[in-house]
Amino acid sequence: MRAVIAVASGKGGVGKSTTAVNLAIGLAQRGLSVGLLDADIHGPSLPRMLGIAARRPEVRDKRLIPIVAHGIRAMSIGLLVEERTAMIWRGPMVMGALNQLMGEVEWGALDVLVLDMPPGTGDAQLTVAQKLALAGAVIVSTPQDIALLDARRGVAMFEKTRVPVLGIVENMSTFCCPHCGHETALFGHGGARAEAEALGVPFLGEVPLLLDIRTSADTGAPIMAAAPESAAGTAYARIAGRVASALAPHLR
Ligand SMILES: Nc1ncnc2c1ncn2[C@@H]1O[C@H](COP(=O)(O)OP(=O)(O)OP(=O)(O)O)[C@@H](O)[C@H]1O
Ligand SMILES: [Mg+2]
């Protein structure tokens, strides 16, 4: 495994999982061999977003074999236990599950492993950041101040653990009306770019708030796989390009 990167945010629901999925597929479309690990034990989203919720990973020589979908290899606690089971686990169980996912999966030869992180900056996040020797972190934020405050916390956490911040993605940047094409800055616009500048970290790009992104996530056919040429697809492709460039020293 050449580079492990985390997709994180201080705040919940800003689009980490959606970004992680489409970024991972975007990196694979660039010819890289990519794995995607769901580090969100309490709220695993990858099985549903990748359309693999009904699949069960094989176990070979006591190692879990990831599920291949949309050109990437994926693993999630949601593939191993009932949807509601992990939701009520306490700290030690969560850590145990995380350790199992980090240590007992047979990824094969990967260029990049993308981690979909749980929301927040607590113990689980720190454990992952420290244990996996991250090559970098991508911070996802919506444009409004309150989310940016949490994004700042995310950046600070990774800097404290000496993980390079690859940059900030502004998600739900503008809302594009599916009927008339008019763009509305629902949560404001440009806040994440300004915040990235203020923090001295790269700005990786904007992803508009699009109905297609939400429906494709819900139906298990991520937009990057279903419609790579769409507005959303090109936005993610640009972000994947920037992340790949930032990781180039690791991928040689
Ligand atoms: N750019 C976007 N356009 C439209 N819908 C989006 C976009 N990004 C995310 N969503 C939708 O917003 C919801 C939350 O996204 P997602 O699950 O990726 O957030 P998250 O940060 O991973 O949340 P959590 O903190 O719970 O893990 C999902 O329904 C997703 O489909
Ligand atoms: Mg998530």
mmCIF file of all heavy atoms in Angstrom, residues 15-16 35-36 41 46 48 56 58 76 85 88 118 131 138 141-142 183 230 243 251:
data_model
loop_
_atom_site.group_PDB
_atom_site.id
_atom_site.type_symbol
_atom_site.label_atom_id
_atom_site.label_comp_id
_atom_site.label_asym_id
_atom_site.label_seq_id
_atom_site.Cartn_x
_atom_site.Cartn_y
_atom_site.Cartn_z
ATOM 1 N N GLY A 15 -20.870 15.606 3.696
ATOM 2 C CA GLY A 15 -20.589 14.937 2.431
ATOM 3 C C GLY A 15 -19.252 14.223 2.370
ATOM 4 O O GLY A 15 -18.711 14.010 1.289
ATOM 5 N N LYS A 16 -18.740 13.800 3.530
ATOM 6 C CA LYS A 16 -17.476 13.046 3.551
ATOM 7 C C LYS A 16 -17.578 11.763 2.750
ATOM 8 O O LYS A 16 -16.733 11.464 1.913
ATOM 9 C CB LYS A 16 -17.097 12.635 4.983
ATOM 10 C CG LYS A 16 -16.651 13.740 5.879
ATOM 11 C CD LYS A 16 -16.402 13.218 7.282
ATOM 12 C CE LYS A 16 -17.666 12.733 7.978
ATOM 13 N NZ LYS A 16 -18.714 13.751 8.138
ATOM 14 N N GLY A 35 -8.272 1.300 -2.901
ATOM 15 C CA GLY A 35 -9.130 0.687 -1.901
ATOM 16 C C GLY A 35 -9.898 1.771 -1.164
ATOM 17 O O GLY A 35 -9.453 2.919 -1.091
ATOM 18 N N LEU A 36 -11.070 1.417 -0.637
ATOM 19 C CA LEU A 36 -11.885 2.374 0.110
ATOM 20 C C LEU A 36 -12.330 1.695 1.406
ATOM 21 O O LEU A 36 -13.008 0.667 1.373
ATOM 22 C CB LEU A 36 -13.097 2.779 -0.738
ATOM 23 C CG LEU A 36 -14.100 3.762 -0.144
ATOM 24 C CD1 LEU A 36 -13.439 5.079 0.245
ATOM 25 C CD2 LEU A 36 -15.222 4.036 -1.148
ATOM 26 N N ILE A 41 -17.704 3.420 12.050
ATOM 27 C CA ILE A 41 -18.265 2.193 12.610
ATOM 28 C C ILE A 41 -19.733 2.397 13.002
ATOM 29 O O ILE A 41 -20.567 1.518 12.803
ATOM 30 C CB ILE A 41 -17.436 1.732 13.838
ATOM 31 C CG1 ILE A 41 -15.959 1.547 13.455
ATOM 32 C CG2 ILE A 41 -18.018 0.472 14.466
ATOM 33 C CD1 ILE A 41 -15.693 0.468 12.435
ATOM 34 N N LEU A 46 -20.833 3.231 3.170
ATOM 35 C CA LEU A 46 -20.294 2.754 1.891
ATOM 36 C C LEU A 46 -21.060 1.598 1.262
ATOM 37 O O LEU A 46 -21.238 1.591 0.045
ATOM 38 C CB LEU A 46 -18.814 2.390 2.038
ATOM 39 C CG LEU A 46 -17.908 3.562 2.410
ATOM 40 C CD1 LEU A 46 -16.444 3.183 2.271
ATOM 41 C CD2 LEU A 46 -18.221 4.776 1.550
ATOM 42 N N ARG A 48 -24.185 0.948 1.100
ATOM 43 C CA ARG A 48 -25.333 1.468 0.365
ATOM 44 C C ARG A 48 -24.885 2.333 -0.818
ATOM 45 O O ARG A 48 -25.378 2.207 -1.923
ATOM 46 C CB ARG A 48 -26.185 2.301 1.307
ATOM 47 C CG ARG A 48 -27.605 2.416 0.842
ATOM 48 C CD ARG A 48 -28.418 3.125 1.864
ATOM 49 N NE ARG A 48 -28.558 2.297 3.071
ATOM 50 C CZ ARG A 48 -29.673 2.241 3.767
ATOM 51 N NH1 ARG A 48 -30.712 2.931 3.392
ATOM 52 N NH2 ARG A 48 -29.744 1.497 4.842
ATOM 53 N N ARG A 56 -21.473 -10.206 0.963
ATOM 54 C CA ARG A 56 -20.738 -10.556 2.178
ATOM 55 C C ARG A 56 -19.301 -10.880 1.782
ATOM 56 O O ARG A 56 -19.081 -11.719 0.913
ATOM 57 C CB ARG A 56 -21.364 -11.776 2.876
ATOM 58 C CG ARG A 56 -22.709 -11.493 3.520
ATOM 59 C CD ARG A 56 -22.566 -10.521 4.712
ATOM 60 N NE ARG A 56 -23.848 -9.955 5.084
ATOM 61 C CZ ARG A 56 -24.285 -8.758 4.683
ATOM 62 N NH1 ARG A 56 -23.542 -8.005 3.911
ATOM 63 N NH2 ARG A 56 -25.451 -8.309 5.054
ATOM 64 N N GLU A 58 -15.713 -12.508 1.493
ATOM 65 C CA GLU A 58 -15.129 -13.829 1.729
ATOM 66 C C GLU A 58 -14.026 -13.718 2.769
ATOM 67 O O GLU A 58 -13.399 -12.663 2.901
ATOM 68 C CB GLU A 58 -14.430 -14.279 0.449
ATOM 69 C CG GLU A 58 -15.115 -15.358 -0.354
ATOM 70 C CD GLU A 58 -14.238 -15.680 -1.555
ATOM 71 O OE1 GLU A 58 -13.245 -16.423 -1.374
ATOM 72 O OE2 GLU A 58 -14.542 -15.154 -2.634
ATOM 73 N N SER A 76 -16.226 -2.462 4.757
ATOM 74 C CA SER A 76 -16.996 -1.686 5.721
ATOM 75 C C SER A 76 -17.545 -2.623 6.790
ATOM 76 O O SER A 76 -17.856 -3.783 6.507
ATOM 77 C CB SER A 76 -18.166 -1.010 4.993
ATOM 78 O OG SER A 76 -19.105 -0.495 5.921
ATOM 79 N N THR A 85 -26.544 -3.279 14.419
ATOM 80 C CA THR A 85 -25.685 -3.837 15.463
ATOM 81 C C THR A 85 -24.593 -2.872 15.900
ATOM 82 O O THR A 85 -24.467 -2.548 17.093
ATOM 83 C CB THR A 85 -25.033 -5.143 14.972
ATOM 84 O OG1 THR A 85 -26.070 -5.996 14.486
ATOM 85 C CG2 THR A 85 -24.288 -5.832 16.093
ATOM 86 N N ILE A 88 -24.881 0.660 18.227
ATOM 87 C CA ILE A 88 -24.948 0.830 19.678
ATOM 88 C C ILE A 88 -23.662 0.409 20.374
ATOM 89 O O ILE A 88 -23.587 0.387 21.594
ATOM 90 C CB ILE A 88 -26.140 0.027 20.262
ATOM 91 C CG1 ILE A 88 -26.072 -1.417 19.781
ATOM 92 C CG2 ILE A 88 -27.448 0.675 19.871
ATOM 93 C CD1 ILE A 88 -26.975 -2.352 20.561
ATOM 94 N N PRO A 118 -15.337 8.817 10.267
ATOM 95 C CA PRO A 118 -16.548 9.241 10.970
ATOM 96 C C PRO A 118 -16.481 10.738 11.249
ATOM 97 O O PRO A 118 -15.393 11.308 11.239
ATOM 98 C CB PRO A 118 -16.490 8.438 12.267
ATOM 99 C CG PRO A 118 -15.064 8.068 12.445
ATOM 100 C CD PRO A 118 -14.449 8.018 11.086
ATOM 101 N N LYS A 131 -2.491 5.299 13.710
ATOM 102 C CA LYS A 131 -2.149 3.914 13.442
ATOM 103 C C LYS A 131 -1.802 3.660 11.973
ATOM 104 O O LYS A 131 -0.996 2.797 11.658
ATOM 105 C CB LYS A 131 -3.328 3.024 13.853
ATOM 106 C CG LYS A 131 -2.931 1.579 13.892
ATOM 107 C CD LYS A 131 -3.861 0.768 14.740
ATOM 108 C CE LYS A 131 -3.457 -0.689 14.557
ATOM 109 N NZ LYS A 131 -3.815 -1.531 15.651
ATOM 110 N N VAL A 138 -7.917 14.833 3.398
ATOM 111 C CA VAL A 138 -8.763 15.743 2.619
ATOM 112 C C VAL A 138 -9.885 16.178 3.544
ATOM 113 O O VAL A 138 -10.592 15.335 4.114
ATOM 114 C CB VAL A 138 -9.350 15.023 1.385
ATOM 115 C CG1 VAL A 138 -10.410 15.878 0.703
ATOM 116 C CG2 VAL A 138 -8.237 14.639 0.404
ATOM 117 N N SER A 141 -15.894 20.443 3.666
ATOM 118 C CA SER A 141 -16.712 21.409 4.399
ATOM 119 C C SER A 141 -17.779 21.979 3.477
ATOM 120 O O SER A 141 -17.595 22.043 2.269
ATOM 121 C CB SER A 141 -15.837 22.554 4.926
ATOM 122 O OG SER A 141 -16.635 23.472 5.664
ATOM 123 N N THR A 142 -18.891 22.372 4.060
ATOM 124 C CA THR A 142 -19.847 23.184 3.323
ATOM 125 C C THR A 142 -19.381 24.632 3.495
ATOM 126 O O THR A 142 -18.520 24.904 4.342
ATOM 127 C CB THR A 142 -21.275 22.964 3.863
ATOM 128 O OG1 THR A 142 -21.247 23.112 5.277
ATOM 129 C CG2 THR A 142 -21.773 21.577 3.523
ATOM 130 N N GLU A 183 -28.326 28.942 -10.651
ATOM 131 C CA GLU A 183 -27.491 28.573 -9.501
ATOM 132 C C GLU A 183 -27.771 29.454 -8.296
ATOM 133 O O GLU A 183 -27.819 30.679 -8.404
ATOM 134 C CB GLU A 183 -26.005 28.696 -9.876
ATOM 135 C CG GLU A 183 -25.566 27.586 -10.798
ATOM 136 C CD GLU A 183 -24.063 27.458 -10.891
ATOM 137 O OE1 GLU A 183 -23.350 27.994 -10.019
ATOM 138 O OE2 GLU A 183 -23.608 26.812 -11.846
ATOM 139 N N SER A 230 -20.684 14.284 -16.352
ATOM 140 C CA SER A 230 -21.634 15.282 -15.835
ATOM 141 C C SER A 230 -20.898 16.390 -15.087
ATOM 142 O O SER A 230 -19.694 16.300 -14.843
ATOM 143 C CB SER A 230 -22.608 14.592 -14.879
ATOM 144 O OG SER A 230 -21.886 14.077 -13.777
ATOM 145 N N VAL A 243 -5.583 15.597 -5.964
ATOM 146 C CA VAL A 243 -5.144 14.681 -4.903
ATOM 147 C C VAL A 243 -4.042 13.762 -5.442
ATOM 148 O O VAL A 243 -3.031 13.531 -4.780
ATOM 149 C CB VAL A 243 -6.333 13.859 -4.358
ATOM 150 C CG1 VAL A 243 -5.866 12.734 -3.449
ATOM 151 C CG2 VAL A 243 -7.295 14.780 -3.597
ATOM 152 N N LEU A 251 3.629 7.758 -5.003
ATOM 153 C CA LEU A 251 3.164 6.792 -6.002
ATOM 154 C C LEU A 251 4.229 6.415 -7.011
ATOM 155 O O LEU A 251 4.017 5.581 -7.870
ATOM 156 C CB LEU A 251 1.942 7.360 -6.743
ATOM 157 C CG LEU A 251 0.753 7.729 -5.842
ATOM 158 C CD1 LEU A 251 -0.378 8.327 -6.649
ATOM 159 C CD2 LEU A 251 0.261 6.491 -5.080
#
